[in-house]
Amino acid sequence: MKLGFFGIGLCLIPLAAAAAPVATPYANNNGALPPSSQYTGPLFKLSHAYPAKVAAPAMPWRDAIQHGRITVQNASAYAEALKAAVGKDMPTLLFDYAHWDAAARGWYNEPWLGSANGKYGGREAIHGMYVGTDELDASLFAASGLTKPISTYVLTYYDKVAAQTLNHVWSASAGMKPSVTSTSTQFAEGSLIVKAAFVTAGPDVWPVMAGTQVWPLYITTNATTGGSTLPKVTNTYLMQFDIIVKDSQSAPDTGWVFMTLVYDQNVKPGPNGIWDQMVVLGAQWGNDPQANSTVNPAAPLLQNWNNPAAPAYGGATFGWGNRLSGPNDGAMNDIAYKDGVKQQLVKNAQDSSCMSCHSTAQWNPKTNTMPSFLLPATSNPPQIASKQYIVSPPPGSPDWLRWFQNRKGNVPMDAGSIAADFDMVLAFKSLPLWYTATTGKTHALTGFDLRGKRMPPRAGK
């Protein structure tokens, strides 16, 4: 049995009388530790001493656009200022891990992701990463030379301003009973959240990864090699880095700006090394609800800027109407929908975007779930047709467009739910894992990746 958030008790009494497993919200990992024969470096430590109150931060990204609204014309300057704002800390995390101390630098993690309930992995031990997408098909990146499918692994940190919200949700009960209310889930202005994404394909499989940062992970899920029953230390490669900021002044329609960086081997390393090769892919601050990109594919996007100088592979998986979505984010999917009475099957349909996905972050306290999935789908968890196609509303239809509205972070997508202010880690990961751990019932969303595919159970010991 894997040692995750369920402990193992040994006692000389009948099995039926054994003590109940103890749920541990602040587990560092899923209990599977790499043997010294494979790895002897530092291990991930969950940062969860969430601050209760933090002074309002400086916001140099606002200075970059003269404290006006972000636009297609000034989004590049805004994005570069946002990158610079986290640039004093992120190079240490990414490239000097032995000296990374998240708590000392004021960065924090969501609880419960060390949980694995013996099945679905949870945080691995070396870097605390978990599966983002179980498998991305090589055909999505054929133009950039990918020859095998890939799995992606992700790691999210909240700065001290954002971590106040983690304090409001989790700290009163030591992580055991979340306070999910219309006020507790809301982030303060200037909150920063970052996410690193690594892939299982090295330069021998995907040439665009030549020269990027390599992280060893203790994992089983690996679409590139076919994975394994037991975890092993495996090299993964830095592909993408996301930064989002709560900025209602610059982006009043949603309150947030999303920005994605991707690795570009053709950019020369500067004084910050590989960090200087992480190029802005684009920025998004709204869902452009006025642009029905199915009815009019040429409709301009007014709340989205894609960098024409970014490497081509970065934009290979842009979302609906070329709305921003990075290669890790699963904005192109095989979908099934009814066109009148006839079922249509479409491979690699553009059906999401950064903000579209995160705008579904909500929690219904009566049903203990997210009513709508991350991608346009007729149910949550999604139904799958013909073994691989997500059953979706027809593209461009009124039901489809529910995923592409501009809602502020305190407005839920579905009535009866509490909006999670775009925090997908809370709604899609932490709360389902909390429910599983504390009720003994596996939550319906446990084990799904970002694209609505259920990951196969893995042994973890």
Side-chain angles (χ1 to χ4, degrees), residues 148-151 200-201 205 219-228 232 234:
K148 296 180 181 179
I150 57 177
S151 295
T200 54
V205 175
I219 57 176
T220 57
T221 301
N222 187 338
T224 306
T225 64
S228 60
K232 62 181 179 180
T234 304

Side-chain angles (χ1 to χ4, degrees), residues 317-401:
T317 53
F318 280 150
W320 188 51
N322 285 335
R323 289 164 173 83
L324 180 66
S325 186
N328 165 70
D329 300 328
M332 292 180 66
N333 296 280
D334 300 339
I335 65 171
Y337 64 91
K338 283 190 175 180
D339 183 4
V341 296
K342 185 178 180 181
Q343 185 182 61
Q344 301 289 339
L345 301 177
V346 182
K347 284 191 66 64
N348 294 334
Q350 293 176 303
D351 68 340
S352 188
S353 73
C354 293
M355 296 206 78
S356 169
C357 173
H358 280 257
S359 71
T360 67
Q362 58 185 338
W363 191 254
N364 187 312
K366 292 183 178 180
T367 60
N368 281 305
T369 195
M370 289 172 52
S372 296
F373 190 60
L374 286 64
L375 314 171
T378 57
S379 64
N380 191 20
Q383 297 179 7
I384 304 296
S386 301
K387 298 183 179 181
Q388 68 180 42
Y389 294 84
I390 295 174
V391 179
S392 166
S397 68
D399 196 23
W400 171 282
L401 293 174

Side-chain angles (χ1 to χ4, degrees), residues 18 63 169 172 175 221 227 253 324 452:
D63 297 338
V169 173
T221 301
D253 290 342
L324 180 66

Side-chain angles (χ1 to χ4, degrees), residues 5-11 13-24 437-440:
F5 60 74
F6 290 121
I8 296 179
L10 296 178
C11 49
I13 58 177
L15 183 61
V22 177
T24 307
T438 55
T439 67

Side-chain angles (χ1 to χ4, degrees), residues 64-439:
I65 59 171
Q66 289 74 53
H67 291 261
R69 295 179 63 159
I70 187 171
T71 66
V72 173
Q73 289 72 34
N74 64 22
S76 175
Y78 187 101
E80 291 295 343
L82 203 55
K83 179 186 177 184
V86 303
K88 66 180 184 300
D89 292 330
M90 293 305 106
T92 301
L93 166 65
L94 295 170
F95 316 124
D96 188 16
Y97 193 64
H99 295 100
W100 172 248
D101 185 333
R105 289 178 175 267
W107 292 92
Y108 305 87
N109 312 105
E110 278 271 8
W112 289 115
L113 274 75
S115 309
N117 79 340
K119 289 185 179 181
Y120 295 111
R123 293 189 191 275
E124 58 82 36
I126 298 176
H127 288 281
M129 303 194 88
Y130 55 92
V131 176
T133 300
D134 187 9
E135 182 173 338
L136 289 172
D137 191 85
S139 65
L140 291 169
F141 304 101
S144 55
L146 182 63
T147 58
K148 296 180 181 179
I150 57 177
S151 295
T152 72
Y153 282 83
V154 297
L155 171 64
T156 302
Y157 277 102
Y158 300 71
D159 81 338
K160 60 185 178 181
V161 181
Q164 296 173 103
T165 298
L166 303 188
N167 183 298
H168 298 156
V169 173
W170 296 108
S171 290
S173 65
M176 293 302 297
K177 186 176 181 181
S179 172
V180 182
T181 71
S182 58
T183 55
S184 68
T185 58
Q186 299 300 296
F187 289 92
E189 289 293 312
S191 293
L192 287 168
I193 305 173
V194 300
K195 181 172 71 176
F198 282 67
V199 298
T200 54
D204 58 326
V205 175
W206 199 8
V208 296
M209 291 295 102
T212 193
Q213 180 67 21
V214 179
W215 267 11
L217 305 182
Y218 193 50
I219 57 176
T220 57
T221 301
N222 187 338
T224 306
T225 64
S228 60
T229 302
L230 297 177
K232 62 181 179 180
V233 174
T234 304
N235 282 340
T236 60
Y237 304 84
L238 175 62
M239 175 189 66
Q240 181 174 326
F241 193 89
D242 299 324
I243 308 169
I244 69 173
V245 60
K246 181 71 174 284
D247 186 353
S248 299
Q249 175 177 295
S250 302
D253 290 342
T254 61
W256 287 88
V257 178
F258 282 62
M259 190 260 280
T260 292
L261 308 171
V262 290
Y263 172 70
D264 189 348
Q265 65 172 325
N266 294 318
V267 172
K268 292 183 179 180
N272 298 304
I274 294 173
W275 181 247
D276 294 324
Q277 295 177 278
M278 299 302 294
V279 173
V280 175
L281 177 63
Q284 187 180 24
W285 53 99
N287 277 307
D288 277 293
Q290 83 289 341
N292 189 321
S293 300
T294 299
V295 175
N296 179 12
L301 301 179
L302 307 178
Q303 296 177 312
N304 191 102
W305 170 75
N306 297 330
N307 181 10
Y313 84 89
T317 53
F318 280 150
W320 188 51
N322 285 335
R323 289 164 173 83
L324 180 66
S325 186
N328 165 70
D329 300 328
M332 292 180 66
N333 296 280
D334 300 339
I335 65 171
Y337 64 91
K338 283 190 175 180
D339 183 4
V341 296
K342 185 178 180 181
Q343 185 182 61
Q344 301 289 339
L345 301 177
V346 182
K347 284 191 66 64
N348 294 334
Q350 293 176 303
D351 68 340
S352 188
S353 73
C354 293
M355 296 206 78
S356 169
C357 173
H358 280 257
S359 71
T360 67
Q362 58 185 338
W363 191 254
N364 187 312
K366 292 183 178 180
T367 60
N368 281 305
T369 195
M370 289 172 52
S372 296
F373 190 60
L374 286 64
L375 314 171
T378 57
S379 64
N380 191 20
Q383 297 179 7
I384 304 296
S386 301
K387 298 183 179 181
Q388 68 180 42
Y389 294 84
I390 295 174
V391 179
S392 166
S397 68
D399 196 23
W400 171 282
L401 293 174
R402 293 194 310 118
W403 275 262
F404 295 93
Q405 299 303 306
N406 282 342
R407 292 181 295 272
K408 295 182 184 297
N410 61 357
V411 178
M413 183 173 176
D414 295 285
S417 294
I418 294 171
D421 205 4
F422 289 80
D423 187 357
M424 188 54 64
V425 181
L426 174 67
F428 185 57
K429 290 291 184 182
S430 293
L431 288 174
L433 287 168
W434 155 78
Y435 177 88
T436 297
T438 55
T439 67

